[in-house]
């Protein structure tokens, strides 16, 4: 496995990218673009994303991890980020990777990154497979949970409901809000609130993997409902539930080996793509 770090020129500045490629000189089994989660979940997930990228490369896949606008080592601040700019970054990453590895394309999204990956896939002319890690199905619900971080921080001496309304009023008035160290713009908040995990691009397949704490080890009701709907519409989609820590939200950096193994198994089970 080889790892290469470089910057990709973009409409606004440049994007930091990390490319993992197999050691074998033959054509990769697939070309995978990682679409990361939102805000602090991204930082908590970096370890797992790196381990999975290496495991994919060892299994014969070329993997590109990219820092979106305003994230990581890429240009801009988080306050500069917009949904459309992030969609453009995903396309930029796909184009860059497919030039280097002309193989079946995968978009690998995690949490809110699944919303972005699915939206990006819908805009693509060519075939694309989707790998979802613990997908967020409703951007509106996710935004509400993100805003609650601010509410929780101001609960002492304040009315929680009043704090939430103030935050939403700021966004409605076009003012950014600071939440857990991230300056959230009204444009990004509005786009996130409208995002839904709808029927994917039908040219490829969907592998939905989630970590469950349910006693029966089953997928969440939301996952079952969405997958059943997609399958009824003719989408090739499978769901897999595993046990392990919710590493994107643990206080310490945590690993989930079962997720790494399940991901390679599910991707490989469908053939070369």
């Amino acid at each position: 496995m080889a790892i290469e770090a470089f910057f990709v020129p973009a409409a606004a500045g440049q994007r930091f990218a990390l490319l993992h490629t197999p050691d074998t000189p033959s054509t990769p089994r697939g070309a995978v673009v990682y679409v990361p989660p939102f805000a602090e979940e991204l930082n908590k997930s970096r370890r797992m994303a790196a381990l999975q990228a290496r495991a994919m490369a060892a299994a014969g896949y070329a993997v590109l991890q990219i820092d979106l606008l305003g994230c990581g080592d890429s240009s801009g601040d988080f306050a500069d980020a917009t949904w459309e700019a992030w969609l453009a970054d995903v396309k930029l990453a796909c184009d860059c990777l497919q030039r280097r590895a002309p193989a079946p394309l995968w978009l690998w999204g995690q949490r809110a990154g699944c919303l972005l990956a699915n939206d990006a896939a819908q805009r693509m002319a060519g075939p694309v497979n989707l790998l979802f890690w613990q997908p967020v199905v409703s951007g509106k619900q996710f935004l509400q949970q993100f805003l609650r971080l601010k509410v929780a921080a101001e609960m002492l001496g304040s009315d929680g409901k009043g704090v939430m309304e103030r935050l939403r009023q700021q966004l409605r008035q076009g003012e950014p809000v600071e939440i857990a160290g991230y300056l959230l713009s009204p444009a990004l908040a509005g786009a996130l609130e409208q995002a839904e995990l709808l029927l994917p691009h039908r040219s490829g397949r969907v592998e939905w993997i989630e970590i469950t704490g349910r006693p029966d080890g089953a997928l969440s009701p939301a996952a079952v409902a969405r997958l059943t709907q997609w399958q009824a519409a003719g989408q090739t989609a499978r769901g897999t539930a595993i046990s392990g820590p919710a590493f994107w939200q643990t206080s310490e950096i945590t690993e989930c080996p079962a997720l790494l193994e399940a991901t390679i198994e599910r991707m490989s089970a469908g053939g070369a793509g």
Side-chain angles (χ1 to χ4, degrees), residues 18-32:
L18 196 60
L19 176 65
H20 299 73
T21 51
D23 287 329
T24 55
S26 58
T27 301
R29 299 173 66 181
V32 185

Side-chain angles (χ1 to χ4, degrees), residues 229-242:
Q229 180 188 46
W230 293 351
Q231 290 161 358
Q235 176 71 49
T236 301
R238 295 184 296 185
T240 304
I242 61 166

Side-chain angles (χ1 to χ4, degrees), residues 3 8 13 16 18 53 97 111-112 135 139 141 157 202 226:
I3 301 177
V8 183
F16 177 75
L18 196 60
L97 179 58
R111 299 286 291 144
Q141 184 179 42
R202 298 193 188 189
R226 202 59 57 110

Side-chain angles (χ1 to χ4, degrees), residues 90-113:
V90 174
K91 184 179 186 304
L92 180 70
C94 290
D95 292 344
C96 175
L97 179 58
Q98 295 238 275
R99 285 195 298 270
R100 292 166 175 254
L105 179 63
W106 284 84
L107 286 181
W108 160 30
Q110 184 190 339
R111 299 286 291 144

Side-chain angles (χ1 to χ4, degrees), residues 228-258:
T228 300
Q229 180 188 46
W230 293 351
Q231 290 161 358
Q235 176 71 49
T236 301
R238 295 184 296 185
T240 304
I242 61 166
S243 297
F247 58 89
W248 60 92
Q249 63 184 21
T250 53
S251 57
E252 301 293 333
I253 300 301
T254 309
E255 297 177 12
C256 182

